[in-house]
Amino acid sequence: MPKSIVIEPEQAFAKGTIHFTDIAVNAYQKTAKEELAEYSTEDFLAIWQDLCAIRQFETILNEIKVKGAFQGVTYNHAGPAHLSIGQEASAVGMAFSLTSDDHIYGSHRSHGEILAKGFSAMRKWSDEQLMELMKSYRDGALLRPVEKGYKGSVKGLALRFFVYGAYSEIFARETGFNRGMGGSMHAFFTPFGIYPNNAIVGGSGPISPGAALFKRVNRKPGMVVCNIGDASFGCGPVWEGITFASMDQYRKLWDKSLGGGLPIVFNCMNNFYGMGGQPLGETMGVQFIARIGAGVNPDQMHAERVNGYDPLPVIDAFRRKRKILEEGRGPVLLDTITYRISGHSPSDASSYRSKEEVEHWQAADSIKAFHKKLEAMGVASDEALSTARESVDSTVFEMFKLATDLEASPRLPAGSEVVGEVMFSNRRVEKCDDREPEFLQPIEKNARVVQIKGKVRVGMQDGKPVPKMKAYNIRDGIFEAMLHRFSIDPTMVAFGEENRDWGGAFAVYRGFTELLPYHRLFNSPISEAGIVGASVGYGLEGGRAVAELMYADFMGRAGDEIFNQLAKWQSMSAGQLNMCVVLRISVGAKYGAQHSQDWSALVQHIPGLKVVYPVTPYDAKGMMNAALAGSDPVIFFESQKIYDYGEMFAEEGVPDGYYEIPLSEPSIKRKGKDLTIITLGPALYNAVAAADELQKQFGLSAELVDLRTINPLNFEPVVASVRKTGKVLLLTDAVERGCVMQTVASTLTQLCFDDLDAPPVVLGSRNWITPAAELETFFFPQPSWILDAIHERIMPLKGHQPQTNQTLGELARRARAGV
Ligand SMILES: Cc1ncc(C[n+]2csc(CCOP(=O)(O)OP(=O)(O)O)c2C)c(N)n1
Ligand SMILES: [Mg+2]
């Protein structure tokens, strides 16, 4: 389907200039009279209470970190406390008008934002709703300690509940929002619209657009706020997130009824510092973060700078920006000016700024200023404000004490396995929403569906391979599994580079363009961090996403999003959240050093990911089906060498109907008794060739075990095979050093030590860059290497003349040379 936007040379070469409009800086000018008309006394006092509560919450943390005690209560807090004392007004202003449908994502310095958002949300809930939440949230674990002996209002109880949950989370107590699995830098509480806060600076930048995408695709109310610091705007993934959020297609190509541009505010909590580096005047050149908007789109992201040392200009900005988002004109960029009076952390000696500077900001302190303002406006007397402050301060202090009490607020017991138990959610999720999935045409009319119907679902017929054009292949298997889930789960989306029109980087998606509306299948910018980050945000919000990385070599570009984001939020939620995301990663060949690497070992090493590598059409379909019915993040490796291979192992071929292959089970591809060859990835096909030679030349029968899955991995069938044969070679196309097979070999050595006739031998690619296509046979393990390695290191093959050097001496030499 050709694109609807046509590019003509006359237009591209026409003379002109690019226009920018002025970006407002501190434009808020409302008078006291206007403010009095806009806010009720109750509103003003609510803001006051929230400012004070946050200041007290963090003052206590600061004191216990620095002095080990607060007002006689001693406590040793081992973990971090990145405080935002001074920044309260920016947080309260941001949160004031937001509802629980508005979701905030944030950073390491987010206690204030979390508290502000929680306080604001609970004011908008009825007492019944709050009671219901407190009773049901983690079966009342947070409610029980705070309701003991409490006789006040439900709102008062909710305040205790929320402050207590936050402290408990920071102190790693079972009674924390997420059983202490998140802690200070990663705390969150989704019922009030508080989504993950990220210890990776700028980490929320690429995730939040995925959350906003979820709202658009699934027509959900509310907006997303991505709160990140000024220095975070130096992070590449933040730029990728902004690029992803500002794609033209939302407004130009997507169905108008979806609502247009993504409903997201990138809100810079601009405190003028990173840790010690200064974006203004030192580490960046932009001067005003708001200026960045001008480079993003013609709307300049509706960027402006606001005074975040006063909550009212921030509330005003958020109210105005909400309208823009509701009109489908997002994204928005806000540059909210504030100041961190506290150090970066309590151990910070503030060597990077002058005492005078801190004193000036202290003199202008937002809490003092707001106190004066309320008094001057006649909203409340000094006495009333002080009494309100004392009251909330004492509640916060009481909750602090309760959270430090080990009896009321226990940690996980010694030796607990809970951290492991919540690594995966292991749920079955047939669909993430009940509405009817959207399609552009009847499935049975789709040309690809019709074409696949005419294919032969076995790879061999009458002893001969089925011609490539006719054979049902790995691409077809993945397509069928995805189609199945697309037809059940209305939230399911797929995106990545060249996903639409092109048909996915390697034609797996051909046919989907005609079948799926834009919002279910779309091209992303070339932003690997943006792609994976968006899939994480989409998953966190409760949707199902399939993201694609064209080459495994590009995982580096999405390193943080794969290793720290996709992998970790389920566990940091203590198993409360799902992460229904499949990340398809294609492993290349023939394209040299930067497009032909199998990097499966990188994700094997990272806790929290399910990792599979199917290499037959039968396995690809069954495992994609299982991945798309689960609730955990799955890294789904595919090999470009074999996309069009037919099914050579399953005798009945690839079933028409639905079936699943569990994501933990290796598969015996050929039975044998003399030797076990375990393979990962397309190395299976070289192992088949080697096994044929072993049989032909030496009368040996090799059992072929295709690992298929990297994590989790059931060793039982592998152990059974090795026990039977006593000999094992492990084969992979990844470079040998540090590859997945080294871990499998080491575990097998321990599990089968008494049954082994020789140590397990791992054979991988050379520890080199991948050379050019013409030289690949020097690099990837060839069938002849397998025979040579068996001969040198497992059992002598009678009369065999090795063609390569697979001796132990050579192994040691390569290691010494680092190659
Ligand atoms: C990717 C990454 N790099 C560096 C750090 C260390 N670090 C923690 S906070 C911080 C400064 C962040 O500054 P900014 O984004 O302005 O947020 P602020 O701390 O001022 O709230 C740095 C460099 C980190 N946590 N993550
Ligand atoms: Mg900063």
Side-chain angles (χ1 to χ4, degrees):
M1 199 193 287
K3 289 272 195 313
S4 50
I5 297 162
V6 179
I7 314 290
E8 296 293 354
E10 303 83 65
Q11 177 200 351
F13 296 127
K15 188 170 187 243
T17 51
I18 302 169
H19 295 283
F20 294 90
T21 49
D22 288 347
I23 292 175
V25 173
N26 299 326
Y28 184 84
Q29 291 290 339
K30 285 191 178 158
T31 60
K33 202 170 152 206
E34 287 167 318
E35 287 174 340
L36 279 167
E38 200 171 326
Y39 299 91
S40 66
T41 303
E42 207 184 4
D43 289 337
F44 282 126
L45 293 180
I47 295 170
W48 172 244
Q49 177 176 308
D50 294 356
L51 292 172
C52 296
I54 297 170
R55 176 65 59 90
Q56 170 79 339
F57 187 95
E58 293 218 305
T59 302
I60 292 175
L61 283 177
N62 191 47
E63 296 272 305
I64 57 160
K65 280 301 278 188
V66 176
K67 300 182 189 151
F70 183 81
Q71 292 184 0
V73 178
T74 56
Y75 187 65
N76 175 19
H77 172 53
H82 297 96
L83 306 177
S84 57
I85 293 174
Q87 301 187 189
E88 297 85 352
S90 59
V92 173
M94 176 272 301
F96 183 82
S97 64
L98 303 188
T99 74
S100 302
D101 287 335
D102 302 318
H103 296 174
I104 64 168
Y105 287 74
S107 76
H108 57 288
R109 197 179 304 290
S110 58
H111 300 157
E113 292 152 23
I114 294 170
L115 293 174
K117 179 74 163 74
F119 297 154
S120 160
M122 66 177 74
R123 283 196 189 95
K124 295 171 184 105
W125 285 37
S126 71
D127 284 359
E128 293 71 35
Q129 286 172 318
L130 285 170
M131 266 331 289
E132 172 57 33
L133 169 72
M134 291 190 283
K135 278 187 189 152
S136 61
Y137 191 79
R138 305 231 350 264
D139 291 328
L142 284 70
L143 176 62
R144 277 188 291 279
V146 301
E147 70 178 353
K148 230 184 209 165
Y150 178 74
K151 299 253 168 4
S153 66
V154 172
K155 289 272 185 312
L157 186 61
L159 177 70
R160 291 163 67 88
F161 167 93
F162 193 69
V163 171
Y164 172 71
Y167 269 135
S168 296
E169 184 62 29
I170 293 168
F171 299 154
R173 304 306 170 106
E174 275 263 43
T175 47
F177 292 148
N178 296 306
R179 302 179 80 175
M181 301 289 163
S184 166
M185 293 196 282
H186 322 103
F188 60 107
F189 184 76
T190 56
F192 288 157
I194 304 159
Y195 277 71
N197 289 287
N198 221 302
I200 302 297
V201 161
S204 289
I207 291 178
S208 317
L213 176 75
F214 178 81
K215 288 197 181 293
R216 275 291 175 260
V217 168
N218 300 287
R219 298 175 164 88
K220 299 282 181 205
M223 63 177 171
V224 173
V225 181
C226 172
N227 291 309
I228 46 178
D230 44 328
S232 304
F233 282 80
C235 303
V238 172
W239 174 251
E240 293 199 10
I242 290 175
T243 310
F244 192 100
S246 59
M247 288 192 287
D248 267 347
Q249 61 179 299
Y250 305 124
R251 280 189 259 176
K252 294 197 169 146
L253 299 173
W254 290 29
D255 193 311
K256 294 276 172 286
S257 71
L258 292 162
L262 293 193
I264 181 169
V265 177
F266 290 90
N267 182 36
C268 175
M269 291 294 194
N270 189 346
N271 60 14
F272 297 97
Y273 286 96
M275 283 169 63
Q278 272 182 310
L280 175 65
E282 185 190 12
T283 62
M284 289 172 76
V286 71
Q287 294 188 348
F288 292 86
I289 294 293
R291 188 200 305 278
I292 291 169
V296 171
N297 62 9
D299 287 334
Q300 303 187 173
M301 293 182 82
H302 313 278
E304 65 177 286
R305 168 172 280 195
V306 294
N307 173 5
Y309 232 44
D310 178 348
L312 304 189
V314 187
I315 296 172
D316 173 72
F318 268 88
R319 282 181 171 156
R320 286 184 290 108
K321 301 306 181 191
R322 180 190 291 283
K323 284 210 186 82
I324 290 173
L325 299 182
E326 283 171 357
E327 288 162 12
R329 297 191 290 130
V332 159
L333 172 63
L334 272 182
D335 179 2
T336 304
I337 296 306
T338 183
Y339 192 79
R340 158 168 68 67
I341 292 170
S342 45
H344 159 68
S345 62
S347 60
D348 172 359
S350 277
S351 52
Y352 50 89
R353 57 183 178 178
S354 71
K355 223 168 124 236
E356 290 71 36
E357 180 186 290
V358 181
E359 282 167 4
H360 292 160
W361 286 87
Q362 266 173 323
D365 183 5
S366 58
I367 297 191
K368 277 191 220 153
F370 201 66
H371 184 247
K372 272 201 203 121
K373 183 168 182 160
L374 293 189
E375 243 190 300
M377 292 202 300
V379 172
S381 65
D382 172 39
E383 203 191 340
L385 292 170
S386 302
T387 310
R389 184 169 192 170
E390 278 159 25
S391 164
V392 76
D393 280 2
S394 100
T395 302
V396 172
F397 180 48
E398 211 190 313
M399 292 306 102
F400 158 72
K401 274 193 292 188
L402 193 60
T404 60
D405 177 346
L406 267 174
E407 212 169 295
S409 318
R411 292 206 177 88
L412 291 173
S416 167
E417 284 291 320
V418 167
V419 183
E421 285 158 12
V422 299
M423 285 298 300
F424 295 116
S425 47
N426 280 323
R427 297 182 184 109
R428 192 179 170 83
V429 182
E430 203 55 35
K431 49 179 155 175
C432 297
D433 196 48
D434 280 332
R435 56 175 210 278
E436 212 37 52
E438 292 159 85
F439 285 105
L440 295 177
Q441 62 178 173
I443 292 173
E444 62 287 358
K445 293 257 160 68
N446 180 259
R448 175 90 185 272
V449 172
V450 172
Q451 184 215 17
I452 290 177
K453 271 217 160 67
K455 285 193 165 184
V456 180
R457 296 179 84 99
V458 288
M460 301 282 283
Q461 258 180 342
D462 309 325
K464 280 192 259 153
V466 175
K468 267 189 184 153
M469 292 296 289
K470 282 243 103 189
Y472 180 102
N473 60 31
I474 291 177
R475 284 191 186 90
D476 300 328
I478 299 169
F479 175 87
E480 276 197 344
M482 286 185 61
L483 177 58
H484 175 84
R485 194 54 56 191
F486 266 127
S487 72
I488 293 174
D489 188 342
T491 72
M492 179 159 148
V493 291
F495 54 85
E497 292 153 28
E498 334 310 342
N499 270 202
R500 213 178 162 84
D501 311 296
W502 191 281
F506 301 99
V508 171
Y509 292 167
R510 228 159 249 174
F512 277 153
T513 303
E514 293 72 31
L515 200 55
L516 296 164
Y518 252 103
H519 60 277
R520 300 195 77 193
L521 175 78
F522 60 91
N523 293 332
S524 70
I526 302 176
S527 305
E528 282 76 12
I531 295 166
V532 181
S535 72
V536 172
Y538 198 86
L540 284 171
E541 294 281 329
R544 182 177 292 286
V546 180
E548 179 183 275
L549 290 190
M550 238 189 226
Y551 282 86
D553 315 67
F554 306 163
M555 288 164 72
R557 277 286 176 91
D560 181 57
E561 289 62 37
I562 300 172
F563 305 147
N564 279 316
Q565 312 299 340
L566 187 61
K568 300 212 163 95
W569 290 113
Q570 289 200 108
S571 354
M572 287 206 272
S573 78
Q576 297 184 89
L577 291 176
N578 289 341
M579 183 63 76
C580 299
V581 174
V582 175
L583 178 58
R584 294 183 44 239
I585 302 182
S586 189
V587 180
K590 300 200 186 110
Y591 270 40
Q594 296 176 334
H595 277 63
S596 308
Q597 303 169 91
D598 169 345
W599 273 357
S600 50
L602 300 185
V603 276
Q604 179 198 33
H605 185 67
I606 302 295
L609 296 170
K610 293 190 172 175
V611 186
V612 300
Y613 198 168
V615 289
T616 70
Y618 179 85
D619 290 350
K621 178 173 173 181
M623 295 176 87
M624 182 56 91
N625 274 336
L628 292 174
S631 60
D632 290 304
V634 178
I635 306 289
F636 198 92
F637 284 109
E638 299 162 20
S639 167
Q640 287 163 35
K641 289 181 184 171
I642 54 169
Y643 266 132
D644 54 11
Y645 277 29
E647 179 54 50
M648 309 295 235
F649 301 95
E651 277 177 17
E652 294 78 40
V654 184
D656 251 339
Y658 184 80
Y659 63 97
E660 286 175 19
I661 296 175
L663 300 184
S664 52
E665 302 301 310
S667 153
I668 312 284
K669 295 293 189 217
R670 182 188 285 186
K671 289 253 176 235
K673 57 179 178 37
D674 299 317
L675 162 84
T676 301
I677 302 180
I678 307 173
T679 64
L680 178 65
L684 169 66
Y685 295 93
N686 274 343
V688 169
D692 289 346
E693 281 304 306
L694 283 169
Q695 183 70 54
K696 202 165 89 191
Q697 292 185 38
F698 308 101
L700 295 172
S701 82
E703 180 144 299
L704 300 183
V705 184
D706 175 9
L707 213 55
R708 291 198 297 201
T709 175
I710 295 169
N711 186 56
L713 177 58
N714 177 13
F715 268 84
E716 267 175 36
V718 188
V719 166
S721 177
V722 174
R723 289 225 164 109
K724 181 170 70 176
T725 63
K727 302 171 189 68
V728 58
L729 181 138
L730 300 99
L731 188 69
T732 170
D733 276 357
V735 294
E736 202 169 282
R737 187 175 56 237
C739 67
V740 167
M741 288 312 206
Q742 300 288 5
T743 310
V744 176
S746 133
T747 309
L748 264 183
T749 308
Q750 295 169 67
L751 295 175
C752 304
F753 190 66
D754 291 339
D755 306 286
L756 283 165
D757 300 334
V761 168
V762 174
L763 199 56
S765 290
R766 301 299 304 276
N767 298 314
W768 304 337
I769 61 161
T770 316
E774 294 80 353
L775 311 177
E776 274 187 351
T777 53
F778 307 1
F779 175 78
F780 289 117
Q782 303 299 310
S784 62
W785 304 15
I786 302 171
L787 266 61
D788 294 347
I790 293 170
H791 177 72
E792 296 290 1
R793 287 161 38 199
I794 298 179
M795 57 176 159
L797 301 172
K798 211 161 164 226
H800 180 67
Q801 293 294 327
Q803 297 168 30
T804 57
N805 189 349
Q806 303 294 340
T807 62
L808 290 173
E810 173 65 2
L811 197 66
R813 183 198 71 79
R814 291 175 186 175
R816 199 167 52 240
V819 294

